[in-house]
Amino acid sequence: DSGVTQTPKHLITATGQRVTLRCSPRSGDLSVYWYQQSLDQGLQFLIQYYNGEERAKGNILERFSAQQFPDLHSELNLSSLELGDSALYFCASSVGPLINTEAFFGQGTRLTVV
Amino acid sequence: TQLLEQSPQFLSIQEGENLTVYCNSSSVFSSLQWYRQEPGEGPVLLVTVVTGGEVKKLKRLTFQFGDARKDSSLHITAAQPGDTGLYLCAGARSNTGKLIFGQGTTLQVKP
């Protein structure tokens, strides 16, 4: 158990819909990272928040947004869903703003868009 | 453009054999991490290498960071079925918060 909690574990939804994925980081970690893992693209960095503020942005679509709340949990919002958004979405957390040491990954949310 | 190239992509070997997985890039990284991921689970960190030329051992696993900090390798001695999984390398740059992952190497160790 990494200490990072992601909910839900599975999500099936229709095209055009909107979903919210939730992540609770390890106790004491201030950074939260979101990654998307698909078969053809591998693990792709989406976005990072550190202590409530956006810290780094990767290949995140405009239809996607995220935020980190004062209690440090984070949510990833995916809207106008397309079939190609089906993937595993992982959240990771680390103590500081830089990823040089180590990040701990949650078990992921498997999103299926039908 | 894939910044980190892993090879091979797939590897199927017999128990007891040795293997090496390579992670190559034209970019310099401040550190490189190796993860192992099992189906339905998130990646689990195995090791972080920081210094060029660094070698770290974790039981039967040996990790090396290239002198120029552009490449890394993972060597497994006497592989066991429990080593089966997806091995991912990931590079970090010191002034950013993001990890760049390789495509992964799927290892299958047959008993």
Side-chain angles (χ1 to χ4, degrees), chain A residues 18-23 32-35 46-49 52-57 60-69 73-79:
Chain A
R18 182 180 191 275
V19 297
T20 298
L21 312 184
R22 183 188 167 101
C23 169
V32 169
Y33 311 81
W34 285 98
Y35 286 85
L46 295 178
I47 198 164
Q48 177 203 5
Y49 279 83
E53 306 253 333
E54 184 183 302
R55 172 82 183 183
K57 218 166 185 175
I60 188 165
L61 299 172
E62 283 191 16
R63 300 183 285 108
F64 296 0
S65 65
Q67 54 184 327
Q68 186 179 29
F69 295 87
H73 92 270
S74 178
E75 291 181 356
L76 178 66
N77 301 297
L78 315 176
S79 62

Side-chain angles (χ1 to χ4, degrees), chain B residues 38 54 56 62 100 111:
Chain B
E38 296 192 43
E54 182 177 1
K56 278 192 175 177
T62 302
I100 298 167

